[in-house]
């Protein structure tokens, strides 16, 4: 697979919105994480390792993998779930207080600062002595996210791609053919118009500014625009190709519910309740979607459309990493669990259980076969070099040292053009103004 784009300074880092790789979650309670092993740094008894994640959809599968780990090693590991905002608030508070959870997820939005400030356990010595972990076996884009100065701070967990969900019943009623690999973004716009009803009872599409990885980022990169430059040092919001793609977004918004309704309800909820005919959505949503009776009866999945002008089909990808606290009292036990999560056997099991696509190369075919409710091929087909007439490209979710500052602000400033569909002048001026602001923030990061 070819290469693609690719004191603590934590204040402001955690004011983040719902982002990729699962953002839903429920509450959880602390389970401890102390060490009864004295100076050895390892123990097969004592309190459970505290494993904290943010996605309830993945909790059962990950706990099953942890239970296998306990049966194998005698080391107990308990999974806790926090909602997305609470998760990062917890980590911020714990980092400031020096008491991070034992094992937890890292995200591309945040990894640079945690690595820079040495909050994560450095894993290189452990990896060198492991017979289960060879980083050459993992998707290189994900490994890159958790590497700084040639040092490694997380074991790749998964990766995600974007696909087009559509309501078969609505397509049938409108007399439209289902989306397939021949669909361009022109086809998407045309179908969205035909599937939108004048009485407001049904809309063709649905997206929020915060649905960046799963919607408009893909449009931008397929049009040869960009959000962040390849060197991560400048904004692409004022790039001509980016502006052109954002004009397309403005046009597509004409066939979406009003921006307030989308924001208050959520795009996934509107799709699951039969209010919209199509959404683009990440593979991280499968675990939750397959339990929805309405979706099972009425909906399916196609590969994401491509841009006719460029001949490119782009899926923005991201991947989580399993990390441990640098100051944990039980570094050896934490490593054993990270090694367990990252092993080929458990990466296959993660895929088999339908938790997520796995970062270990060659294991995600298992994920496709984890359910027969939906056709998951669209999520995997985009990882091939070409599908139909389009060249496929995976683009790593754009990031800088402190991505959350500008990504969160982009969601806020785009509210006005979102509320004024079809107003290209407003959309373009908003993007140009934001690019200037964003460049200032990136400059501050690099000082």
């Amino acid at each position: 697979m070819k290469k693609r784009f690719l004191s603590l300074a934590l204040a402001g880092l955690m004011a983040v919105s719902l982002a990729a790789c699962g953002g839903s979650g429920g509450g959880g309670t602390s389970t401890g994480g102390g060490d009864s092993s004295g100076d050895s740094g390892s123990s097969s008894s004592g309190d459970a390792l505290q494993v904290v994640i943010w996605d309830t959809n993945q909790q059962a599968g990950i706990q099953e993998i942890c239970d296998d780990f306990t049966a194998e090693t005698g080391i107990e590991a308990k999974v806790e779930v926090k909602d997305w905002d609470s998760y990062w608030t917890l980590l911020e508070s714990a980092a400031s207080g020096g008491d991070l959870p034992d094992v937890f997820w890292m995200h591309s939005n945040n990894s640079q600062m945690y690595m820079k400030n040495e909050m994560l356990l450095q894993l290189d010595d452990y990896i060198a002595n492991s017979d289960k972990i060879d980083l050459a076996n993992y998707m290189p884009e994900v490994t890159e996210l958790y590497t700084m100065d040639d040092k490694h701070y997380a074991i790749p967990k998964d990766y995600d791609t974007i696909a087009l969900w559509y309501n078969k019943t609505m397509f049938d009623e409108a007399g439209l053919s289902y989306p397939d690999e021949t669909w361009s973004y022109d086809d998407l716009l045309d179908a969205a118009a035909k599937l939108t009803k004048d009485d407001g009872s049904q809309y063709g599409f649905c997206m929020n500014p915060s649905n960046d990885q799963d919607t408009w980022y893909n449009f931008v990169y397929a049009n040869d625009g960009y959000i962040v430059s390849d060197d991560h040092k400048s904004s692409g919001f004022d790039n001509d190709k980016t502006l052109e793609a954002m004009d397309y977004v403005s046009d597509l918004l004409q066939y979406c519910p009003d921006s307030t309704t989308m924001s208050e309800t959520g795009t996934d909820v509107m799709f699951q309740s039969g209010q919209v005919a199509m959404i683009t959505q990440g593979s991280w949503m499968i675990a939750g979607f397959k339990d929805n009776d309405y979706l099972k009866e009425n909906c399916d999945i196609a590969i994401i459309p491509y841009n006719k002008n460029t001949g490119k089909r782009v899926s923005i990808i991201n991947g989580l990493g399993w990390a441990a606290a640098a100051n944990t009292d039980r570094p050896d036990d934490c490593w054993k669990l990270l090694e367990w999560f990252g092993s080929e056997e458990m990466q296959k099991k993660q895929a088999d259980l339908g938790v997520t696509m796995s970062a270990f190369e060659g294991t995600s075919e298992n994920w496709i076969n984890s359910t027969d409710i939906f056709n998951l091929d669209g999520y995997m087909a985009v990882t091939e070099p070409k599908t139909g007439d389009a060249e496929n490209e995976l683009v790593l979710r754009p990031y800088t040292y402190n991505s959350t500052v500008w990504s969160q602000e982009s969601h806020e400033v785009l509210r006005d053009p979102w509320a004024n569909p079809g107003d290209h002048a407003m959309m373009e001026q908003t993007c140009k103004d934001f690019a200037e602001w964003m460049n200032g923030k990136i400059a501050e990061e690099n000082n």
Side-chain angles (χ1 to χ4, degrees), residues 406-443:
W406 55 262
S407 63
Q408 172 66 16
E409 184 65 15
S410 73
H411 304 159
E412 295 300 318
V413 302
L414 288 171
R415 288 181 182 273
D416 284 345
W418 240 255
N420 292 273
D423 190 337
H424 291 185
M426 176 180 284
M427 178 66 83
E428 292 181 15
Q429 191 59 53
T430 299
C431 290
K432 290 175 182 178
D433 291 343
F434 180 71
E436 183 177 355
W437 179 91
M438 180 175 166
N439 281 326
K441 291 300 178 183
I442 297 175

Side-chain angles (χ1 to χ4, degrees), residues 132 215 295 297 301 344 359 395:
K132 294 183 177 69
T215 56
L295 296 186
E297 182 178 349
I301 308 165
E344 182 176 9
V395 174

Side-chain angles (χ1 to χ4, degrees), residues 208-230:
N208 279 313
S210 58
N211 299 126
D212 47 22
Q213 181 187 348
D214 44 322
T215 56
W216 52 278
Y217 277 10
N218 299 277
F219 307 159
V220 167
Y221 280 89
N223 198 53
D224 286 335
Y226 63 96
I227 301 299
V228 176
S229 61
D230 289 351

Side-chain angles (χ1 to χ4, degrees), residues 75-87:
I75 303 169
E76 187 179 357
K78 179 67 174 178
V79 179
E80 302 176 27
V81 182
K82 308 292 183 184
D83 66 71
W84 173 264
D85 289 329
S86 298
Y87 182 91

Side-chain angles (χ1 to χ4, degrees), residues 17-70:
S17 67
L18 182 65
C21 292
S24 59
T29 56
S30 177
T31 60
D35 177 23
S36 61
S37 62
D39 294 333
S40 71
S42 179
S43 174
S44 60
S45 61
D47 293 339
L49 288 174
Q50 184 187 22
V51 181
V52 182
I53 65 175
W54 63 70
D55 189 356
T56 54
N57 292 328
Q58 298 191 41
Q59 183 176 15
I62 291 174
Q63 186 62 62
E64 183 173 334
I65 292 170
C66 285
D67 292 344
D68 291 345
F69 172 74
T70 300

